[in-house]
Amino acid sequence: MKRWRNLSLRVRLTLLYVGLLALLLAVLGGVLYWDFQNFLLESTATRLRAQAKPIIDEASAAAAPLEHAQTLARDLTSRETVALIIGPDGETVAVGKTLPEEPAPPPPDPAYDARALAGENEVTYVAQMNGQRYLVLLIPWRSAPGSPDILGVIQLSTPLAPIENILLRQKLMLGLGMMLTLLAGLAGGLWLTSSALKPLNQMTETCERIAEGDLSQRVNLPEREDEIGRLAQAFDHMVARLEAAFAAQRRFVANAAHELRTPLTAIRGSLEVLMRGAQDDPAATSRLTQGMYREVVRLSRLSEQLLDLSRIGAGATIHKQPIDLQAFFDDFLYQARLLARDRTVTLDAGDPVTILADPDALMEMLFNLMDNAVQHTAENGIITLGWRTTPESVQLWVADDGEGIPADDLPRIFEPFYRGDSSRSRRQGGSGLGLALVQALVEAHGGRITVESQPGQGARFTITLPLTMRDVDPLEKIG
Amino acid sequence: MNAKDVNPATGPRILVIEDEPTIIEFLRTGLGYEGYQVTIAPDGRTGFDLAGHQSFDLIILDLMLPDMDGFDVCRKLRERGNETPIIMLTARQEVADRVTGLNLGADDYITKPFSFDELVARIRALLRRQGKHPEQSILSVGDMVLNAETHEVSRAGEPITLTPTEFALLELFMRHPRRVFTRETLLNRVWGYDYAGDANVVDVHISHLREKIRDKPPRLIQTIYGVGYALHPEDDA
């Protein structure tokens, strides 16, 4: 069994296929041969009986028919058939063979003779004599057709050699046909399994190349709708997704490194300039130190956000607890106004509702959206926070009347490090991770975030969180 | 601006096209100390216009700029026939970027985060190639002559043998006459940024140097009490 399993699928399938074919052919050939042999014997018997009938009838019609037994035997004998007439006691009464070219009759078989004498009309058997086979027919000799009065038994025999020749030829032809069919089956089976399994080999080779690190490899089978075609398509699709994921990962790391370079350059350069002598000038020292402080703050914020993002990405647990949105926003508004400085922050409160969420995460989402709004709004701009509930969800939003987002940038603003207007947010200390972080947090809560914006007309970020029934305090609802 | 040691009206003019405030600050201060006249352009458009209206000896060009990126600025300057040497600053390290920059006509390329010393060395090399570097290899103050290339020092025609540290100290003083160097700055510039020893080592080497160059009062290398040291030529009042 182990050896069988070690054979390649191609060989196993072919062997199985050819084995079944051989079995089928053998059964079919056997049945065909047996049937054909019966047909030949029966038709010969029928023909002989038909030929003998009128002669016997004529002889029966004569007076004292037994006296003419010799004549009858003679009449029934030909080059291929010899007749023997057996009396009621089993003794041979007459033998038809007179010429040497006429076949010799096999000796009568008393067991069969008794059956014919008892009135059985068609006793047929094959007898063996001198290594030759004979077809033997026994016909009861009745005094008149249909009469129960049996005078004796007429034994007609004919050598089977001609029939056996035909059967031999038949056997050879069947055998040859089977061989040819099996060979064709073997070749066809090998071809069929090879062509069916070739894509599998192709996939194995592709897998091996991918395992070596080349994710750009694809199986790329020609269009086919069968199981293997579907497997190959699914496989290619999977590799494409993996490749995209790895590329995104690499891009993320490259971007992160890139974001680290700028503050590092500023800090390193400032330090070198200080050490080269600017430290001797208090004014220059103060300017450079302040710059370095800004950069260090930027670096810490960047590293914190990177960490947050990777924690959420790694499936950090969200500790949900009931949050009364009214109370939450009352708290948050104070911080939001600190962040907004001269900008006006208003709250568009919805119906009182208690949601299930992680308060720290909710705070971080709104804080980042607020930060983003502040960065893109003029000093005297207006920022609106608010929420609305529907039976299934709660929507929280942060809207501003700032510069808005160009349509080209809209689909990409949630990508880490993506900046539409690279200068502006970067100068103001944005890391490019804020919105990505918000999206990750919202999705960790099973919600989604959307943005609507027209350039010049501000932007509106909406967080939709699912509101399951148990999120709503029943008392709250009644109240 | 802060270039106390050279005449601000004669140092090579450098245009810095960069949008990061902190990087602008250290380049302005640091290059000013090295004796360059620094002009800042906070974005590509301004930089391109400035380079068209004024003449500069060198341009330091950041690749990532708000409006027009560094490649564009470089290409447009070259298209307009402006041949001012350009050093590109970039955070990207890809060879393709490097090649693109150089193909567009940038003369040199430096990757962030870079060392300020390295930037200065590259600026010097570029300016020297252009024949615009004011740095002479033979410096003289009074009867003292120093050859920076052969490392030879002589006073009143008599050769003086100095250790490398003493030579570096003397060269620094002679390149920046009248500038006051604190012990810390001297340590950083002569002994290196990562030198962790006592600042007194400066006093020891200055005293050896004075001995070797027979520096008698009124001294060439003066002690500025509570601050550090400065070289005052004898003809100073």
Side-chain angles (χ1 to χ4, degrees):
Chain A
M1 203 56 210
K2 194 164 185 299
R3 275 182 63 188
W4 170 248
R5 256 183 276 134
N6 282 343
L7 289 173
S8 82
L9 201 54
R10 177 169 160 241
V11 171
R12 272 195 280 167
L13 281 176
T14 308
L15 284 181
L16 207 66
Y17 173 78
V18 171
L20 278 174
L21 194 65
L23 191 70
L24 192 74
L25 282 177
V27 169
L28 203 69
V31 168
L32 216 65
Y33 178 79
W34 180 78
D35 192 54
F36 187 62
Q37 172 183 278
N38 278 357
F39 166 75
L40 283 182
L41 290 178
E42 266 168 36
S43 64
T44 307
T46 310
R47 181 171 51 83
L48 289 182
R49 281 180 203 282
Q51 284 170 355
K53 192 169 185 303
I55 301 169
I56 297 167
D57 285 353
E58 200 182 328
S60 309
L66 271 176
E67 270 147 59
H68 302 288
Q70 187 54 45
T71 318
L72 177 60
R74 187 69 209 115
D75 284 349
L76 287 171
T77 298
S78 68
R79 285 208 172 186
E80 57 173 7
T81 318
V82 63
L84 205 74
I85 295 176
I86 299 148
D89 307 323
E91 81 285 2
T92 303
V93 179
V95 178
K97 176 181 160 76
T98 49
L99 299 174
E101 66 263 33
E102 286 161 358
D109 185 325
Y112 289 107
D113 292 345
R115 279 165 57 192
L117 281 172
E120 200 174 325
N121 273 331
E122 305 212 342
V123 178
T124 307
Y125 65 96
V126 175
Q128 197 111 21
M129 187 181 72
N130 304 331
Q132 268 221 325
R133 289 178 358 119
Y134 293 84
L135 180 67
V136 182
L137 312 173
L138 300 182
I139 305 167
W141 187 10
R142 300 169 193 275
S143 52
S147 153
D149 176 25
I150 294 172
L151 306 172
V153 173
I154 301 163
Q155 173 190 312
L156 289 174
S157 64
T158 183
L160 280 177
I163 289 178
E164 275 167 351
N165 280 341
I166 293 174
L167 283 174
L168 186 68
R169 218 172 57 236
Q170 199 68 25
K171 243 194 304 207
L172 283 174
M173 274 168 65
L174 269 176
L176 200 69
M178 268 168 77
M179 290 294 283
L180 284 176
T181 312
L182 278 180
L183 279 177
L186 187 73
L190 271 178
W191 177 81
L192 199 72
T193 46
S194 299
S195 66
L197 296 177
K198 205 168 119 214
L200 286 183
N201 286 335
Q202 220 173 315
M203 285 170 80
T204 309
E205 282 163 22
T206 309
C207 276
E208 279 163 358
R209 283 198 297 270
I210 290 170
E212 282 161 16
D214 182 3
L215 276 174
S216 68
Q217 290 289 332
R218 297 287 180 282
V219 181
N220 268 339
L221 283 191
E223 194 70 21
R224 49 190 286 176
E225 285 300 314
D226 60 2
E227 293 84 343
I228 288 177
R230 286 209 309 281
L231 174 63
Q233 272 173 21
F235 181 84
D236 279 353
H237 183 63
M238 177 189 77
V239 177
R241 286 287 305 268
L242 278 178
E243 190 184 17
F246 275 112
Q249 184 88 21
R250 267 199 305 277
R251 215 165 37 239
F252 182 82
V253 172
N255 280 334
H258 181 269
E259 291 299 318
L260 292 172
R261 278 169 196 268
T262 303
L264 282 176
T265 307
I267 294 168
R268 178 174 182 176
S270 300
L271 282 170
E272 284 185 58
V273 167
L274 275 170
M275 290 192 291
R276 282 173 70 96
Q279 60 191 355
D280 302 345
D281 173 358
T285 305
S286 148
R287 282 198 311 272
L288 289 167
T289 322
Q290 278 169 10
M292 287 193 292
Y293 178 72
R294 270 200 310 275
E295 297 301 330
V296 170
V297 169
R298 187 162 135 188
L299 272 181
S300 350
R301 180 154 169 72
L302 179 63
S303 59
E304 258 169 52
Q305 288 188 327
L306 276 173
L307 226 94
D308 284 350
L309 208 55
S310 70
R311 258 206 299 266
I312 303 166
T317 41
I318 296 278
H319 302 289
K320 287 190 183 179
Q321 56 189 76
I323 299 172
D324 173 7
L325 273 192
Q326 183 70 55
F328 180 86
F329 268 100
D330 286 346
D331 280 352
F332 182 71
L333 211 54
Y334 174 72
Q335 293 191 36
R337 287 194 170 123
L338 280 184
L339 198 67
R341 297 197 183 170
D342 295 335
R343 298 162 187 85
T344 309
V345 181
T346 58
L347 177 65
D348 179 4
D351 295 331
V353 65
T354 300
I355 64 168
L356 259 190
D358 185 324
D360 294 336
L362 189 63
M363 186 67 94
E364 189 160 2
M365 291 176 209
L366 289 169
F367 183 85
N368 276 299
L369 289 181
M370 192 63 210
D371 193 37
N372 183 66
V374 168
Q375 280 179 30
H376 296 283
T377 313
E379 298 276 313
N380 57 355
I382 298 170
I383 298 172
T384 314
L385 310 172
W387 80 89
R388 282 288 177 280
T389 49
T390 68
E392 304 87 30
S393 63
V394 58
Q395 294 190 329
L396 306 109
W397 68 82
V398 175
D400 65 58
D401 64 348
E403 64 206 22
I405 303 161
D408 287 350
D409 291 337
L410 270 181
R412 300 191 57 193
I413 55 167
F414 293 108
E415 286 176 22
F417 302 113
Y418 184 80
R419 288 197 189 93
D421 175 2
S422 64
S423 68
R424 203 192 144 107
S425 58
R426 200 143 51 104
R427 253 208 307 276
Q428 299 184 11
S431 65
L433 283 177
L435 292 179
L437 197 55
V438 176
Q439 189 181 41
L441 285 168
V442 170
E443 283 173 359
H445 277 80
R448 64 196 155 79
I449 182 163
T450 52
V451 59
E452 299 155 58
S453 180
Q454 294 284 329
Q457 292 174 26
R460 181 191 179 96
F461 288 85
T462 309
I463 296 172
T464 306
L465 296 177
L467 198 62
T468 51
M469 277 314 285
R470 65 196 176 90
D471 288 352
V472 186
D473 187 344
L475 288 175
E476 202 87 44
K477 263 189 130 179
I478 296 161
Chain B
M1 42 171 305
N2 290 299
K4 300 167 186 164
D5 40 329
V6 290
N7 183 344
T10 57
R13 291 169 306 269
I14 295 183
L15 173 62
V16 174
I17 309 178
E18 166 65 74
D19 65 320
E20 286 286 335
T22 318
I23 295 182
I24 291 175
E25 186 53 48
F26 87 74
L27 285 179
R28 196 208 312 260
T29 308
L31 293 176
Y33 270 106
E34 294 303 312
Y36 300 107
Q37 303 181 62
V38 182
T39 305
I40 304 291
D43 57 68
R45 169 62 51 196
T46 315
F48 179 70
D49 290 345
L50 272 172
H53 293 128
Q54 299 177 29
S55 141
F56 292 96
D57 296 311
L58 187 132
I59 296 173
I60 295 176
L61 176 59
D62 190 10
L63 201 52
M64 292 258 295
L65 290 168
D67 47 354
M68 221 165 129
D69 79 15
F71 289 141
D72 285 346
V73 176
C74 183
R75 201 189 54 238
K76 287 194 175 170
L77 280 175
R78 293 299 185 240
E79 274 171 11
R80 220 169 50 177
N82 189 320
E83 293 301 326
T84 313
I86 293 177
I87 297 181
M88 278 209 180
L89 299 185
T90 178
R92 293 188 247 179
Q93 225 164 3
E94 279 84 26
V95 177
D97 275 1
R98 220 171 269 239
V99 171
T100 310
L102 297 176
N103 277 345
L104 285 175
D107 298 82
D108 206 347
Y109 210 95
I110 190 163
T111 311
K112 294 176 181 176
F114 53 86
S115 138
F116 183 74
D117 286 357
E118 191 190 344
L119 177 66
V120 169
R122 292 197 186 204
I123 291 172
R124 282 198 184 135
L126 260 184
L127 288 176
R128 204 177 297 128
R129 240 195 280 160
Q130 304 282 316
K132 283 177 182 160
H133 202 262
E135 212 166 76
Q136 299 133 2
S137 52
I138 298 175
L139 307 165
S140 65
V141 173
D143 58 354
M144 182 138 67
V145 179
L146 177 145
N147 187 328
E149 275 174 15
T150 59
H151 275 233
E152 284 169 343
V153 182
S154 65
R155 189 159 195 194
E158 266 185 63
I160 301 168
T161 311
L162 296 180
T163 65
T165 307
E166 289 157 2
F167 184 87
L169 276 171
L170 185 60
E171 185 184 354
L172 187 62
F173 283 125
M174 288 180 76
R175 281 200 191 280
H176 307 280
R178 280 177 289 275
R179 174 164 160 191
V180 181
F181 288 97
T182 58
R183 286 177 182 78
E184 288 74 26
T185 301
L186 287 173
L187 268 182
N188 287 329
R189 296 195 61 157
V190 175
W191 277 266
Y193 300 137
D194 51 358
Y195 180 79
D198 190 344
N200 288 335
V201 73
V202 177
D203 300 332
V204 174
H205 279 81
I206 294 269
S207 117
H208 287 164
L209 177 62
R210 278 172 171 162
E211 239 169 72
K212 285 192 179 169
I213 62 171
R214 297 180 302 282
D215 199 10
K216 304 251 159 35
R219 279 177 166 150
L220 216 49
I221 298 172
Q222 298 184 350
T223 305
I224 315 293
Y225 286 101
V227 187
Y229 298 95
L231 181 138
H232 283 271
E234 285 146 343
D235 47 13
D236 277 17

